[in-house]
Amino acid sequence: MASLNNRDLMKELKSLEAQVLHFKDMIGTEGRTAADDIRERGSIAMRQASDRARNAASYARDEASSVARIAREHPTATSTALLTIGLIGGVIGYLLGQGHTPERDSRWRWN
């Protein structure tokens, strides 16, 4: 009777081992499939990002060329616009600097 139980137990262990190997193979196959899918999606995303970056660079180059052409054709207007923008920026910076006065800390006084 003990040998019968041992044989049944060994059969059961062999069956479980076969199932574990089968599941291991299934998981490996699914993992490879998922990795291939992720790799393909990443490749597509990189290709699309590259195309968009190339288009953006081309657009920026065209716009810069257009601005440079206009600046060459109208140097006085360009210098006046840049000077005005600089003055407005300076005034805004000054006002922001005056609006925020730092609180004095008595530890850092030199006198």
Side-chain angles (χ1 to χ4, degrees):
M1 188 168 263
S3 68
L4 183 61
N5 282 337
N6 282 342
R7 269 189 255 142
D8 289 341
L9 186 59
M10 291 304 285
K11 276 184 177 180
E12 190 67 29
L13 285 174
K14 291 280 185 188
S15 173
L16 288 173
E17 183 180 1
Q19 287 178 359
V20 166
L21 288 174
H22 175 71
F23 289 140
K24 184 179 174 184
D25 289 342
M26 282 177 47
I27 290 171
T29 301
E30 288 298 319
R32 283 188 294 279
T33 301
D36 289 343
D37 186 41
I38 290 170
R39 191 176 304 117
E40 180 65 26
R41 286 183 184 181
S43 174
I44 290 169
M46 289 298 292
R47 200 172 320 122
Q48 289 174 345
S50 175
D51 290 344
R52 288 181 182 158
R54 191 177 306 110
N55 290 341
S58 175
Y59 178 76
R61 196 171 25 255
D62 292 344
E63 288 299 314
S65 174
S66 175
V67 168
R69 183 179 46 80
I70 291 170
R72 279 192 302 273
E73 290 174 0
H74 307 285
T76 305
T78 303
S79 63
T80 302
L82 290 176
L83 182 62
T84 303
I85 291 170
L87 286 173
I88 290 171
V91 169
I92 290 172
Y94 176 77
L95 292 175
L96 287 175
Q98 290 299 316
H100 176 64
T101 55
E103 191 175 307
R104 287 230 182 243
D105 188 3
S106 61
R107 293 181 299 165
W108 296 105
R109 287 190 185 165
W110 292 97
N111 50 7

